[in-house]
Amino acid sequence: MVFITRVISMTNFMVASSALGFQVFVLYPWHKELDAGFEELRKEHLRVLGAVSGGPSISKEQGETMRDTLSQMGQRRWWFQS
């Protein structure tokens, strides 16, 4: 009976240790990489948003062209055809 308890305890320790190792060495660095990617995506989104809303980097005509193109793309929903 003591042997079975010892085996279960050791198995529990091994599973917990491997789960902790996976979190520390795989998930945490991946989380940092995703954070950096999302920050880059946020900056790109703000840049495009400023450009579409008539920011100083593009002319008003270019902004209107982009807005028209985006609205046309929104009308062509290939995944939802009624």
Side-chain angles (χ1 to χ4, degrees), residues 37-78:
F38 285 137
E39 184 64 27
E40 182 180 326
L41 183 64
R42 185 184 71 82
K43 288 178 183 176
E44 178 69 17
H45 172 71
L46 290 175
R47 186 188 67 77
V48 169
L49 187 63
V52 170
S53 66
S57 61
I58 64 168
S59 67
K60 188 171 185 170
E61 293 83 21
Q62 289 173 329
E64 290 173 358
T65 304
M66 288 175 68
R67 191 174 302 121
D68 292 340
T69 303
L70 288 173
S71 67
Q72 289 173 359
M73 287 174 62
Q75 293 173 359
R76 290 184 282 159
R77 295 184 182 143
W78 58 271

Side-chain angles (χ1 to χ4, degrees), residues 8-51:
I8 291 173
S9 296
M10 293 299 286
T11 304
N12 186 25
F13 177 76
M14 294 301 293
V15 168
S17 297
S18 63
L20 179 63
F22 180 75
Q23 288 178 1
V24 168
F25 296 114
V26 176
L27 293 181
Y28 185 71
W30 188 51
H31 175 262
K32 290 296 185 183
E33 185 178 326
L34 285 175
D35 270 350
F38 285 137
E39 184 64 27
E40 182 180 326
L41 183 64
R42 185 184 71 82
K43 288 178 183 176
E44 178 69 17
H45 172 71
L46 290 175
R47 186 188 67 77
V48 169
L49 187 63

